Amino acid sequence: MTQFDLTEDQRAIQEMAQRFTADAITPHAAEWDEKHIFPRDTIRAAADLGFGGIYVSEESGGIGLGRLESALIMEAMAYGCPSTSAFISIHNMGAWMIDRFGNQAVKDKYLPDLVPMARMASYCLTEAGAGSDAAALKTKAVRDGDHYVVTGSKQFISGGGENDVYVVMVRTGEDGPKGISCLVIEKDMEGVSFGAQERKLGWHSQPTAQVNFDAVRVPMENRVGAEGEGFRIAMMGLDGGRLNIGACSLGGAQRCIDESVRYTKDRKQFGQSIADFQNTQFTLADMQTELEAARTLLYAAAVKVTDNAPDKTRFAAMAKRFATDTGSSVVDRALQLHGGYGYLMDYPIERIWRDLRVHSILEGTNQVMRMIVARDMLR
């Protein structure tokens, strides 16, 4: 990447994702949302392009791209459907954790199916009593011979009940972050069950449910990393997840800006297009300017995470906070520019408004992002 532009390869990746979105996602996203359809076949079609293992190494069957390329893909797909793009991001996070930290046995066991998304992965950290305070998680894994016996529950899990593979943070030791380990648990293991599908404001194209573990026996070879490394693995995964969720906000917000330009040029009031009013022009200009600023910060943060820069976590947190807050603000103004029509499901604005709202909460709330940045500044 030059200082202010993408490389030819990055543009080619972006254009491929944009074409796929225009053909396979955008025409169907409204129906998926309205009817709560999980578009499994479309998601697997994205995996045919390599999007099931974006930053899984080539040695493990992935396409081995960096976090900027991943952000470009997520942003492009979110232009059609932020919910579906975010689901693919979460799968990629799980696959990457196995590839980056797993031993050869666990890689060989799961990655050949995860990369083509023949099986799909969920990331399981949050619990009912451990949200922002993730290190307080209670789900326990006790050694019994060559297995762990896992008991507990995970809350708000994307893919819960539908996905086949769950990358789960469990407590194997003392209280706090040093007692947490990471296990891969399969849907069909005895003792795994799921709560009812959550009834959500947005993200209707993907399932979300509680995941329960009742004395589930998990082979020791399914551990990812060493005992006690789970929290570090979870946080490193979140650096990339935060970039992807920020990128999903960029894509959804850009769609709403483009829709607003078209709408305000066509809509006439007081004898002229509302795009001719200075207030409309100022609003559109501010929306695009703020979004470009968020995009530039997010791309810079993505390069830092790829390069393992010392300040990568601070930049990922800043970028996630700024991109998701900006995305929601932009979409809210797009809805206002559409007036009453923006409130109707005939237009994509209200769907994207609902989908982007959760981005300020998941992968660490935006209040926690501020804590991460401030702590790093004051260290």
Side-chain angles (χ1 to χ4, degrees):
M1 182 185 181
T2 59
Q3 191 171 2
F4 298 113
D5 205 0
L6 302 176
T7 66
E8 285 187 19
D9 285 347
Q10 288 164 345
R11 288 195 181 282
I13 291 163
Q14 183 183 50
E15 288 167 8
M16 178 172 66
Q18 288 170 339
R19 285 196 301 273
F20 175 78
T21 300
D23 293 341
I25 297 179
T26 305
H28 310 293
E31 183 184 13
W32 297 342
D33 174 77
E34 183 178 359
K35 297 180 181 177
H36 294 239
I37 294 169
F38 177 42
R40 189 183 292 271
D41 291 343
T42 302
I43 289 168
R44 291 209 169 111
D48 292 341
L49 301 176
F51 297 168
I54 296 169
Y55 34 86
V56 171
S57 64
E58 293 182 62
E59 294 78 16
S60 296
I63 56 176
L65 297 179
R67 298 311 177 110
L68 176 55
E69 290 82 5
S70 176
L72 296 173
I73 292 166
M74 297 302 160
E75 181 180 357
M77 291 193 293
Y79 191 91
C81 180
S83 168
T84 302
S85 184
F87 180 88
I88 294 171
S89 164
I90 292 163
H91 168 88
N92 272 273
M93 187 193 305
W96 173 79
M97 287 179 176
I98 294 170
D99 181 44
R100 173 70 174 78
F101 298 103
N103 59 34
Q104 198 58 48
V106 77
K107 290 184 193 182
D108 291 345
K109 193 171 182 179
Y110 293 107
L111 290 176
D113 287 336
L114 290 178
V115 169
M117 296 183 87
R119 293 202 280 178
M120 298 183 194
S122 292
Y123 170 74
C124 301
L125 176 63
T126 299
E127 298 180 2
S132 292
D133 185 12
L137 66 85
K138 301 292 187 189
T139 296
K140 182 173 276 191
V142 179
R143 278 206 205 189
D144 180 21
D146 57 357
H147 284 73
Y148 288 98
V149 179
V150 180
T151 302
S153 294
K154 295 293 179 178
Q155 190 75 31
F156 304 134
I157 302 305
S158 288
E162 290 284 346
N163 284 358
D164 314 279
V165 175
Y166 297 85
V167 181
V168 186
M169 301 304 151
V170 297
R171 184 160 304 286
T172 52
E174 62 190 78
D175 289 345
K178 292 182 180 178
I180 294 170
S181 301
C182 179
L183 299 178
V184 181
I185 301 178
E186 298 180 29
K187 176 181 182 178
D188 294 333
M189 287 178 173
E190 187 175 349
V192 176
S193 64
F194 304 94
Q197 287 296 315
E198 304 288 1
R199 300 168 64 225
K200 310 187 295 283
L201 174 72
W203 274 27
H204 290 167
S205 76
Q206 58 161 289
T208 304
Q210 182 173 319
V211 184
N212 305 307
F213 308 102
D214 182 10
V216 180
R217 294 184 63 82
V218 181
M220 281 188 61
E221 69 177 23
N222 279 29
R223 191 181 66 219
V224 176
E227 274 200 7
E229 284 191 334
F231 194 75
R232 181 177 71 90
I233 292 169
M235 294 304 105
M236 288 182 70
L238 284 174
D239 279 344
R242 286 164 182 161
L243 295 173
N244 286 348
I245 288 299
C248 288
S249 285
L250 298 179
Q254 188 63 61
R255 169 74 179 283
C256 290
I257 290 175
D258 295 348
E259 295 284 345
S260 296
V261 169
R262 280 192 289 272
Y263 179 82
T264 57
K265 288 167 75 173
D266 290 341
R267 173 75 166 163
K268 289 184 167 49
Q269 291 287 276
F270 305 104
Q272 59 182 316
S273 297
I274 60 173
D276 293 334
F277 292 110
Q278 193 177 60
N279 179 68
T280 304
Q281 295 173 7
F282 284 5
T283 300
L284 290 169
D286 285 347
M287 289 159 67
Q288 190 66 64
T289 302
E290 291 165 25
L291 196 66
E292 292 293 356
R295 181 177 282 123
T296 300
L297 176 59
L298 189 120
Y299 288 6
V303 172
K304 285 180 178 286
V305 171
T306 300
D307 292 345
N308 201 30
D311 54 359
K312 63 176 183 177
T313 296
R314 182 208 286 207
F315 267 78
M318 289 194 299
K320 188 268 183 183
R321 201 287 297 169
F322 191 53
T324 56
D325 281 349
T326 301
S328 288
S329 173
V330 164
V331 175
D332 192 67
R333 281 173 280 176
L335 197 154
Q336 191 71 19
L337 286 173
H338 279 72
Y341 292 103
Y343 206 68
L344 302 181
M345 294 175 72
D346 305 79
Y347 292 79
I349 309 298
E350 62 83 31
R351 167 172 58 86
I352 296 173
W353 186 90
R354 289 184 285 107
D355 280 349
L356 263 54
R357 181 59 185 87
V358 75
H359 294 187
S360 300
I361 298 170
L362 51 80
E363 311 286 28
T365 67
N366 284 5
Q367 288 70 31
V368 169
M369 296 305 99
R370 291 176 171 90
M371 288 167 53
I372 291 169
V373 173
R375 283 174 183 169
D376 193 61
M377 292 169 65
L378 297 169
R379 181 172 298 155

